[in-house]
Amino acid sequence: MIRILLSTALLACPAVAFANAEAPTRQTPTSQSCADGKIWNAATKTCVDAQDSRFRDSDRLDAARELAVAGRDAAAALVLSALAAPDNPDALATRGFAARKAGAVTQGVALYERALAQAPDHWMTLGYYGQHLAEIGDLEGAETLLMRIRASGGRGTWPEIALTRALAGDTVY
């Protein structure tokens, strides 16, 4: 019964399905104290290898975003290398974000474009790509991506909020 209710809720409100990817990144012990290639496991209160089977790809993606925001590019890359499904839109967007934050802008943009080829209305990708465009001064391009987020139902999501703030000159992740 719970599975049916959850499935119905996810179909009725797709933003819930991407809740982790749609929220601002927050610091955890992963970025504060775990060695490269490790993620904080709240259950054991220890840093555990990112390839550990207790982690889902969503855990790895959250950790990689956190590490990229913290400027720990090598650590983010190690966590991303542990993904079971490295080529879905969520993974491609996160890999693009981490690459861009590490200074590999061309690689990051290519990953965004691969993600959008699979899912043209992928809010997280549109948001990250739009933030990049705003950073380089292409405000018209960033605004176009913001309109795509809104037109596809992403109004009020973190990607829409973050991109709106980026267009206003804020640095957000």
Side-chain angles (χ1 to χ4, degrees):
M1 181 67 167
I2 292 175
R3 282 187 189 161
I4 294 170
L5 290 173
L6 181 58
S7 297
T8 304
L10 293 178
L11 288 172
C13 185
V16 174
F18 302 102
N20 290 340
E22 302 289 332
T25 302
R26 61 181 180 82
Q27 278 195 330
T28 71
T30 294
S31 60
Q32 297 170 334
S33 57
C34 290
D36 289 0
K38 300 206 182 271
I39 299 174
W40 182 254
N41 182 311
T44 63
K45 298 198 182 331
T46 60
C47 295
V48 178
D49 190 286
Q51 294 186 15
D52 190 290
S53 64
R54 290 174 282 192
F55 294 120
R56 300 176 313 241
D57 270 2
S58 61
D59 300 320
R60 293 179 183 103
L61 293 170
D62 288 344
R65 277 190 293 276
E66 175 186 347
L67 291 163
V69 167
R72 294 187 53 200
D73 307 324
L78 282 171
V79 171
L80 288 167
S81 72
L83 291 173
D87 291 319
N88 68 46
D90 288 335
L92 291 168
T94 302
R95 288 172 47 211
F97 173 74
R100 183 169 59 91
K101 292 287 108 199
V105 175
T106 302
Q107 178 187 5
V109 168
L111 289 163
Y112 295 153
E113 290 175 356
R114 280 181 56 199
L116 292 173
Q118 289 181 31
D121 293 328
H122 192 259
W123 301 332
M124 184 171 56
T125 306
L126 292 168
Y128 283 152
Y129 200 174
Q131 287 176 41
H132 164 67
L133 294 175
E135 287 171 5
I136 64 169
D138 182 358
L139 301 183
E140 185 176 317
E143 184 71 31
T144 297
L145 297 183
L146 178 62
M147 294 300 108
R148 282 177 58 186
I149 291 171
R150 290 176 175 163
S152 63
R155 191 174 295 275
T157 63
W158 179 244
E160 189 241 3
I161 293 165
L163 182 48
T164 300
R165 290 178 50 192
L167 281 161
D170 294 342
T171 300
V172 291
Y173 303 118

